[in-house]
Amino acid sequence: MVKSMSAIYVHLIFCTKQRRPILNPGIMKDLYSYIGGICRNLECPMMAISGVRDHLHILCSMSRTISASTLVEDIKKSSSKWIKNKGQEFSDFQWQAGYGAFSIGQSGVSSLRTYIEKQEEHHKKQTFQDEYRAFLRKYKIEFDERYVWD
């Protein structure tokens, strides 16, 4: 083959430090746009983003030239600097150290997009911790509760 091609979709999940409920509705729309720009610049087009006050879900198409860890690191580093400049209430903002990255096939993209778009509604019924544990179990990732949360 002369040209490399790929179709890799990833569902990213990460929280604010200590799951602080600091992401208010007033900043979310601009934050989503900012993160969309980061993804676009890294050639990982964002397909969906949403969250609640303490965490985000992102669905994007992965570039064939970048790792998930580099993508998340760049998103978190750049958006953290951006948020800190949005007012005194965000001056000590931080994302958690870890993240979840889950593969998704083309056939699951539509339903995952709907799931991500309904985060506010979803979290009226389920805590973030229960949601995240469910993803870890679904993807058969062994985990120890002592090392999942910061």
Side-chain angles (χ1 to χ4, degrees):
M1 295 184 101
V2 176
K3 184 176 179 179
S4 299
M5 294 179 261
S6 67
I8 302 168
Y9 305 99
V10 65
H11 176 194
L12 304 173
I13 305 171
F14 52 90
C15 293
T16 59
K17 182 78 171 177
Q18 299 172 331
R19 292 178 314 283
R20 261 179 73 201
I22 192 170
L23 300 173
N24 64 49
I27 197 170
M28 295 294 250
K29 184 177 179 184
D30 290 339
L31 175 62
Y32 297 164
S33 293
Y34 188 80
I35 290 174
I38 296 167
C39 291
R40 195 170 37 260
N41 290 340
L42 295 171
E43 298 179 0
C44 296
M46 188 172 69
M47 302 165 74
I49 186 170
S50 190
V52 293
R53 295 183 62 92
D54 66 351
H55 74 279
L56 295 180
H57 291 257
I58 301 169
L59 170 61
C60 63
S61 175
M62 289 294 297
S63 166
R64 60 181 178 72
T65 62
I66 192 170
S67 68
S69 62
T70 299
L71 173 61
V72 174
E73 179 182 355
D74 285 0
I75 290 171
K76 287 166 56 173
K77 188 183 297 183
S78 295
S79 64
S80 181
K81 288 178 187 175
W82 179 85
I83 290 172
K84 287 178 182 184
N85 289 314
K86 294 301 171 188
Q88 183 62 33
E89 70 209 84
F90 302 110
S91 63
D92 64 344
F93 179 83
Q94 291 180 307
W95 293 113
Q96 71 172 14
Y99 64 92
F102 305 98
S103 61
I104 185 81
Q106 177 64 48
S107 63
V109 166
S110 180
S111 61
L112 179 59
R113 188 184 314 226
T114 300
Y115 177 84
I116 289 173
E117 290 169 354
K118 294 184 177 185
Q119 280 296 291
E120 285 283 340
E121 182 180 315
H122 176 72
H123 283 291
K124 289 177 183 174
K125 300 174 189 162
Q126 185 179 42
T127 67
F128 169 73
Q129 291 91 334
D130 288 342
E131 173 189 49
Y132 196 68
R133 284 182 197 105
F135 275 109
L136 294 173
R137 288 183 189 108
K138 176 180 177 180
Y139 284 88
K140 298 184 182 352
I141 298 172
E142 292 185 28
F143 63 97
D144 183 328
E145 289 279 340
R146 296 175 294 173
Y147 305 110
V148 174
W149 320 113
D150 66 350

